[in-house]
Amino acid sequence: MKKFLLSTLVLLFVIAAVVVYRANTVFIDQQYRVTQPLEPVILDKSAVIARFSQAIQIPTISYDDRSNFDHQAFSTFHDYLATSFPLVNQKTEQTLIADYSIIYHLKGQNEQLKPALFMGHMDVVPIEAASLADWQQPPFSGKLENGIVWGRGTIDDKVSVVALMEALELLIAQGIQPQRSIYFAFGHDEEAGGEGAKAIAQYFAEENIRFEFVLDEGGVITDGIIPGPEQPVALVGIAEKGYVNFHLSVKGEGGHSSQPPDHTAAGILAQAIVEVENHPFDTKLDFFELMFERIGFATPLSTRLPLANLWLLSPVVEQVLLAKASSAAGIRTTTAVTMLQGSNKSNVLPTVASAVVNFRILPGDTIASIRQHLVEVIDNPLVEIEAELANEASAVSTTDSLGFKLIESTIRRLNPDVLVSPYLVLGATDSRHFQGLSDNIYRFMMVSLNPTTLKQFHGVNEQISVEDYLQAIQFYYAMVNQAAQG
C-alpha cells in the first residue's frame, strides 16, 4: 500500500512538473518584430471627416423585404463616391455589377503578379423604430461630437469603403505606379444576403481573374474582449462559419381539440426540438489553439497553464468556453431554434406543425453532416427535414501567405502595442462568395472595439472615434501601397 501511495505521489509530482514546465515554455513570442515603424501619411483631418460624415448621411439601407429597396439612396451614394474621390473616378476602371455594386480597378504594370482585392459593403442594417429614442444622435446624422462620428455604418461597413477610397485617392495624387493590379469591390446588399458580391465573384470568375489575397471586413482590434492579454489583440479572420436553416415539419390529421390523438403534430415536433437541443455538436478547439499559439505568451500563468496542457486539461477548458455563448460559438457548430408554427386557433388541431432551426457551421462540419445529425437524434420518420438558405463554412486560409503577413506587419508597424492573431469569424461576410478566386481570404478592419462598443454592431448608437477612422485610412493606405508595389 505504501509503495502504491509513493508511486502515486511521484506520478502526481511528475505530472505537475510537466504541466508547469509546459506552461512556461510552450508559448513563445511569434509576433512580427517591428524594426521600422510606418511613417503616417499626412491627412487633411477636417476634409476627411467631412467626407466620412457625408457618407453616413446617405441611408443606404438593406431590408430583408427587397420591395423596400431605396434605389435613390444607392444612386446618391454612387454620385458621392464619384465626386468625393475624383482621382479614383478618373484613374480607375469602374464596372457596375447587379445595378448597384461597384468594382474599381487600378491596373498594374506587371501582369505576372496576381492582383489584390480589397472589399467592403455600402449598405447598412435598418434602424428599429422602437430604438430611435435611445440614439444619442440621429442614426443618419453623421454628426461629429467630442472626437466621435455618430451613425449607422460608421463601423459596419462604410468605414472600410470610404477609408479605402481615401487611401487610393492619396496614392493616385502621389503618382503611384502600381506593379500589381489593385481591385476594390463594394457590394450593395451584404446585409440582405450579398447577391451583389455573388455577382461580382461571378464576374471575376468569367474574366478568369484570381487574386493573390482578398481582404474584407470581419475581425477588429479587440480591447478587453479576449481573456488573458492586457494588450489589445487584432483578430484577423482566416475562416468564417457557414450557416443553414433546417425546416422541420410534421403533418397531422387536424380536427377539433376535443378529440385529440395521443400526440399532435405540434407535440411530435416539440419532442423533435427537445432532442435537437439536447444533442449539441461536438466541440473542436482548433481555432482556439491557433489563436493562443500567437498570443499565449502574453497571458498570465493562470491562463497559460491550462492552454499549454490541453493534452490533460482540454475537458476543463471546453467547459469554461461552453459556459459563455460568445466563446461556445467559436468551438462548435451552434444550434438555435428560431421559428415555430402550428395551429392558428387554440381549439383546432394542427394539420402541419413546423419549426426552423438555424445552424452556424464550424469549418469541418458540412450541411450534409448536420442533416445526418438531425436524422439520427430526432429518429422519427414523421419529422420531415429540409435545408433552406444554406452556405457551407469557408475554407481556412493560411497564416504563411503574403496576404496575412502583410496584414500582420502593417498592423504592428502602425501600432506595435497591438498583438495579432488569426481567428474564426462567427458571422457571414461577402468574402464567402470568393472562395474559388483565392486561397488567401482574410477578414479584418483597423477598428478598435471593447465590450461596450462591440454591442453597437447592428445596435444602438453605432459610432467610431476620429482617431480610429484616421487609423483605418493609414492601414488601408499602407496595405494598398505595399500590395501595389508587388
Tab-separated table of all heavy atoms in Angstrom, residues 192-227:
chain	number	residue	atom	x	y	z
A	192	ALA	N	-28.291	41.785	-46.654
A	192	ALA	CA	-29.505	41.081	-47.080
A	192	ALA	C	-29.170	39.878	-47.961
A	192	ALA	O	-29.945	39.503	-48.834
A	192	ALA	CB	-30.440	42.032	-47.820
A	193	GLY	N	-27.995	39.290	-47.744
A	193	GLY	CA	-27.651	38.058	-48.457
A	193	GLY	C	-26.458	38.150	-49.381
A	193	GLY	O	-25.888	37.136	-49.753
A	194	GLY	N	-26.089	39.355	-49.809
A	194	GLY	CA	-24.882	39.510	-50.616
A	194	GLY	C	-25.005	39.089	-52.068
A	194	GLY	O	-24.045	38.585	-52.659
A	195	GLU	N	-26.167	39.319	-52.676
A	195	GLU	CA	-26.317	38.974	-54.096
A	195	GLU	C	-25.386	39.816	-54.967
A	195	GLU	O	-24.892	39.356	-56.000
A	195	GLU	CB	-27.774	39.168	-54.528
A	195	GLU	CG	-28.739	38.174	-53.913
A	195	GLU	CD	-28.377	36.734	-54.227
A	195	GLU	OE1	-28.072	36.443	-55.400
A	195	GLU	OE2	-28.380	35.903	-53.303
A	196	GLY	N	-25.128	41.065	-54.556
A	196	GLY	CA	-24.199	41.910	-55.304
A	196	GLY	C	-22.801	41.327	-55.310
A	196	GLY	O	-22.139	41.248	-56.352
A	197	ALA	N	-22.323	40.908	-54.150
A	197	ALA	CA	-20.986	40.305	-54.057
A	197	ALA	C	-20.926	38.996	-54.822
A	197	ALA	O	-19.911	38.680	-55.450
A	197	ALA	CB	-20.621	40.083	-52.586
A	198	LYS	N	-22.007	38.243	-54.781
A	198	LYS	CA	-22.050	36.983	-55.529
A	198	LYS	C	-21.914	37.255	-57.032
A	198	LYS	O	-21.187	36.548	-57.745
A	198	LYS	CB	-23.356	36.246	-55.242
A	198	LYS	CG	-23.424	34.843	-55.817
A	198	LYS	CD	-24.782	34.194	-55.566
A	198	LYS	CE	-25.049	33.991	-54.103
A	198	LYS	NZ	-26.319	33.256	-53.862
A	199	ALA	N	-22.564	38.317	-57.498
A	199	ALA	CA	-22.467	38.684	-58.919
A	199	ALA	C	-21.065	39.193	-59.259
A	199	ALA	O	-20.546	38.942	-60.359
A	199	ALA	CB	-23.520	39.741	-59.257
A	200	ILE	N	-20.445	39.910	-58.317
A	200	ILE	CA	-19.070	40.368	-58.534
A	200	ILE	C	-18.136	39.164	-58.664
A	200	ILE	O	-17.283	39.110	-59.559
A	200	ILE	CB	-18.612	41.276	-57.376
A	200	ILE	CG1	-19.369	42.604	-57.398
A	200	ILE	CG2	-17.111	41.548	-57.464
A	200	ILE	CD1	-19.102	43.489	-56.193
A	201	ALA	N	-18.284	38.193	-57.772
A	201	ALA	CA	-17.449	36.989	-57.824
A	201	ALA	C	-17.645	36.247	-59.141
A	201	ALA	O	-16.682	35.748	-59.744
A	201	ALA	CB	-17.768	36.085	-56.638
A	202	GLN	N	-18.888	36.188	-59.604
A	202	GLN	CA	-19.164	35.526	-60.885
A	202	GLN	C	-18.487	36.271	-62.033
A	202	GLN	O	-17.925	35.655	-62.943
A	202	GLN	CB	-20.668	35.456	-61.113
A	202	GLN	CG	-21.049	34.721	-62.393
A	202	GLN	CD	-22.565	34.623	-62.573
A	202	GLN	OE1	-23.328	34.877	-61.650
A	202	GLN	NE2	-22.993	34.254	-63.771
A	203	TYR	N	-18.499	37.601	-61.973
A	203	TYR	CA	-17.836	38.416	-62.999
A	203	TYR	C	-16.336	38.125	-63.028
A	203	TYR	O	-15.754	37.906	-64.095
A	203	TYR	CB	-18.083	39.893	-62.714
A	203	TYR	CG	-17.219	40.833	-63.527
A	203	TYR	CD1	-17.581	41.209	-64.827
A	203	TYR	CD2	-16.036	41.348	-63.001
A	203	TYR	CE1	-16.786	42.068	-65.572
A	203	TYR	CE2	-15.229	42.204	-63.737
A	203	TYR	CZ	-15.613	42.562	-65.026
A	203	TYR	OH	-14.810	43.407	-65.760
A	204	PHE	N	-15.710	38.091	-61.865
A	204	PHE	CA	-14.268	37.805	-61.814
A	204	PHE	C	-13.976	36.406	-62.346
A	204	PHE	O	-12.982	36.186	-63.050
A	204	PHE	CB	-13.753	37.932	-60.380
A	204	PHE	CG	-13.594	39.347	-59.900
A	204	PHE	CD1	-13.977	39.698	-58.607
A	204	PHE	CD2	-13.050	40.328	-60.714
A	204	PHE	CE1	-13.822	40.995	-58.145
A	204	PHE	CE2	-12.903	41.636	-60.266
A	204	PHE	CZ	-13.279	41.972	-58.980
A	205	ALA	N	-14.836	35.445	-62.005
A	205	ALA	CA	-14.633	34.077	-62.475
A	205	ALA	C	-14.725	34.009	-63.994
A	205	ALA	O	-13.916	33.340	-64.659
A	205	ALA	CB	-15.652	33.143	-61.833
A	206	GLU	N	-15.709	34.712	-64.557
A	206	GLU	CA	-15.870	34.721	-66.018
A	206	GLU	C	-14.692	35.402	-66.716
A	206	GLU	O	-14.334	35.036	-67.844
A	206	GLU	CB	-17.179	35.422	-66.384
A	206	GLU	CG	-18.418	34.628	-65.986
A	206	GLU	CD	-19.706	35.420	-66.137
A	206	GLU	OE1	-19.625	36.636	-66.441
A	206	GLU	OE2	-20.788	34.832	-65.942
A	207	GLU	N	-14.093	36.392	-66.033
A	207	GLU	CA	-12.926	37.089	-66.586
A	207	GLU	C	-11.624	36.350	-66.266
A	207	GLU	O	-10.539	36.817	-66.637
A	207	GLU	CB	-12.860	38.516	-66.014
A	207	GLU	CG	-14.014	39.415	-66.443
A	207	GLU	CD	-14.006	39.709	-67.929
A	207	GLU	OE1	-12.915	39.984	-68.480
A	207	GLU	OE2	-15.095	39.636	-68.547
A	208	ASN	N	-11.731	35.205	-65.587
A	208	ASN	CA	-10.571	34.386	-65.229
A	208	ASN	C	-9.557	35.167	-64.381
A	208	ASN	O	-8.341	35.072	-64.586
A	208	ASN	CB	-9.891	33.826	-66.475
A	208	ASN	CG	-8.992	32.635	-66.157
A	208	ASN	OD1	-9.243	31.888	-65.209
A	208	ASN	ND2	-7.937	32.467	-66.944
A	209	ILE	N	-10.064	35.955	-63.436
A	209	ILE	CA	-9.213	36.753	-62.549
A	209	ILE	C	-9.139	36.061	-61.183
A	209	ILE	O	-10.159	35.797	-60.555
A	209	ILE	CB	-9.772	38.185	-62.374
A	209	ILE	CG1	-9.826	38.898	-63.728
A	209	ILE	CG2	-8.917	38.977	-61.382
A	209	ILE	CD1	-10.565	40.225	-63.685
A	210	ARG	N	-7.915	35.735	-60.772
A	210	ARG	CA	-7.686	35.189	-59.435
A	210	ARG	C	-6.782	36.146	-58.660
A	210	ARG	O	-6.011	36.892	-59.260
A	210	ARG	CB	-7.040	33.797	-59.507
A	210	ARG	CG	-8.029	32.705	-59.907
A	210	ARG	CD	-7.371	31.342	-59.883
A	210	ARG	NE	-6.797	31.012	-58.593
A	210	ARG	CZ	-7.476	30.498	-57.567
A	210	ARG	NH1	-8.770	30.254	-57.689
A	210	ARG	NH2	-6.868	30.208	-56.427
A	211	PHE	N	-6.891	36.097	-57.350
A	211	PHE	CA	-6.243	37.096	-56.519
A	211	PHE	C	-5.157	36.496	-55.628
A	211	PHE	O	-5.301	35.380	-55.117
A	211	PHE	CB	-7.285	37.813	-55.652
A	211	PHE	CG	-8.317	38.538	-56.465
A	211	PHE	CD1	-9.560	37.963	-56.715
A	211	PHE	CD2	-8.044	39.780	-57.009
A	211	PHE	CE1	-10.508	38.618	-57.482
A	211	PHE	CE2	-8.979	40.452	-57.774
A	211	PHE	CZ	-10.222	39.870	-58.015
A	212	GLU	N	-4.102	37.290	-55.441
A	212	GLU	CA	-3.042	36.906	-54.500
A	212	GLU	C	-3.616	36.820	-53.089
A	212	GLU	O	-3.321	35.896	-52.334
A	212	GLU	CB	-1.906	37.933	-54.539
A	212	GLU	CG	-0.780	37.655	-53.568
A	212	GLU	CD	-0.069	36.352	-53.857
A	212	GLU	OE1	0.156	36.036	-55.050
A	212	GLU	OE2	0.258	35.631	-52.891
A	213	PHE	N	-4.437	37.783	-52.745
A	213	PHE	CA	-5.164	37.720	-51.488
A	213	PHE	C	-6.400	38.613	-51.581
A	213	PHE	O	-6.486	39.501	-52.429
A	213	PHE	CB	-4.294	38.131	-50.280
A	213	PHE	CG	-3.913	39.578	-50.237
A	213	PHE	CD1	-4.722	40.537	-49.636
A	213	PHE	CD2	-2.707	39.998	-50.790
A	213	PHE	CE1	-4.361	41.872	-49.591
A	213	PHE	CE2	-2.324	41.338	-50.751
A	213	PHE	CZ	-3.152	42.270	-50.150
A	214	VAL	N	-7.357	38.346	-50.694
A	214	VAL	CA	-8.584	39.125	-50.578
A	214	VAL	C	-8.676	39.608	-49.138
A	214	VAL	O	-8.449	38.841	-48.197
A	214	VAL	CB	-9.822	38.265	-50.923
A	214	VAL	CG1	-11.108	39.055	-50.694
A	214	VAL	CG2	-9.745	37.750	-52.358
A	215	LEU	N	-9.007	40.891	-48.961
A	215	LEU	CA	-9.211	41.444	-47.617
A	215	LEU	C	-10.601	42.054	-47.537
A	215	LEU	O	-10.930	42.970	-48.283
A	215	LEU	CB	-8.153	42.501	-47.297
A	215	LEU	CG	-8.317	43.208	-45.936
A	215	LEU	CD1	-8.276	42.206	-44.789
A	215	LEU	CD2	-7.244	44.279	-45.759
A	216	ASP	N	-11.406	41.531	-46.629
A	216	ASP	CA	-12.766	42.022	-46.420
A	216	ASP	C	-12.915	42.439	-44.955
A	216	ASP	O	-11.988	42.321	-44.153
A	216	ASP	CB	-13.770	40.918	-46.784
A	216	ASP	CG	-15.201	41.417	-46.959
A	216	ASP	OD1	-15.413	42.656	-46.930
A	216	ASP	OD2	-16.107	40.582	-47.117
A	217	GLU	N	-14.104	42.909	-44.600
A	217	GLU	CA	-14.407	43.208	-43.195
A	217	GLU	C	-14.405	41.914	-42.388
A	217	GLU	O	-14.340	40.824	-42.933
A	217	GLU	CB	-15.791	43.853	-43.104
A	217	GLU	CG	-16.907	42.915	-43.563
A	217	GLU	CD	-18.286	43.364	-43.155
A	217	GLU	OE1	-18.415	44.133	-42.200
A	217	GLU	OE2	-19.245	42.907	-43.796
A	218	GLY	N	-14.518	42.040	-41.077
A	218	GLY	CA	-14.621	40.854	-40.230
A	218	GLY	C	-14.007	41.069	-38.874
A	218	GLY	O	-14.676	41.496	-37.937
A	219	GLY	N	-12.715	40.779	-38.730
A	219	GLY	CA	-12.046	40.969	-37.459
A	219	GLY	C	-11.777	42.436	-37.164
A	219	GLY	O	-11.801	43.282	-38.058
A	220	VAL	N	-11.504	42.735	-35.910
A	220	VAL	CA	-11.204	44.093	-35.454
A	220	VAL	C	-10.103	44.015	-34.398
A	220	VAL	O	-9.662	42.930	-34.019
A	220	VAL	CB	-12.448	44.789	-34.852
A	220	VAL	CG1	-13.526	44.986	-35.905
A	220	VAL	CG2	-12.980	43.988	-33.655
A	221	ILE	N	-9.676	45.167	-33.925
A	221	ILE	CA	-8.777	45.212	-32.775
A	221	ILE	C	-9.637	45.173	-31.518
A	221	ILE	O	-10.480	46.049	-31.308
A	221	ILE	CB	-7.907	46.482	-32.789
A	221	ILE	CG1	-7.009	46.486	-34.036
A	221	ILE	CG2	-7.050	46.546	-31.533
A	221	ILE	CD1	-6.199	47.751	-34.186
A	222	THR	N	-9.443	44.140	-30.723
A	222	THR	CA	-10.248	43.974	-29.518
A	222	THR	C	-9.472	44.484	-28.309
A	222	THR	O	-8.268	44.261	-28.176
A	222	THR	CB	-10.605	42.500	-29.289
A	222	THR	OG1	-9.397	41.736	-29.118
A	222	THR	CG2	-11.381	41.946	-30.462
A	223	ASP	N	-10.168	45.160	-27.419
A	223	ASP	CA	-9.559	45.694	-26.203
A	223	ASP	C	-10.400	45.243	-25.020
A	223	ASP	O	-11.528	45.698	-24.829
A	223	ASP	CB	-9.500	47.220	-26.280
A	223	ASP	CG	-8.651	47.833	-25.174
A	223	ASP	OD1	-8.142	47.063	-24.340
A	223	ASP	OD2	-8.511	49.064	-25.139
A	224	GLY	N	-9.875	44.288	-24.246
A	224	GLY	CA	-10.610	43.785	-23.095
A	224	GLY	C	-11.647	42.737	-23.448
A	224	GLY	O	-12.522	42.445	-22.632
A	225	ILE	N	-11.573	42.180	-24.639
A	225	ILE	CA	-12.542	41.166	-25.061
A	225	ILE	C	-11.939	39.764	-24.994
A	225	ILE	O	-12.583	38.822	-24.524
A	225	ILE	CB	-13.047	41.463	-26.492
A	225	ILE	CG1	-13.839	42.786	-26.499
A	225	ILE	CG2	-13.914	40.324	-27.022
A	225	ILE	CD1	-14.276	43.237	-27.875
A	226	ILE	N	-10.701	39.613	-25.464
A	226	ILE	CA	-10.027	38.316	-25.422
A	226	ILE	C	-9.436	38.118	-24.026
A	226	ILE	O	-8.657	38.947	-23.558
A	226	ILE	CB	-8.907	38.242	-26.482
A	226	ILE	CG1	-9.480	38.509	-27.871
A	226	ILE	CG2	-8.218	36.887	-26.434
A	226	ILE	CD1	-10.571	37.560	-28.293
A	227	PRO	N	-9.797	37.031	-23.325
A	227	PRO	CA	-9.296	36.828	-21.960
A	227	PRO	C	-7.794	36.544	-21.958
A	227	PRO	O	-7.290	35.797	-22.793
A	227	PRO	CB	-10.096	35.612	-21.477
A	227	PRO	CG	-10.485	34.880	-22.727
A	227	PRO	CD	-10.685	35.937	-23.772
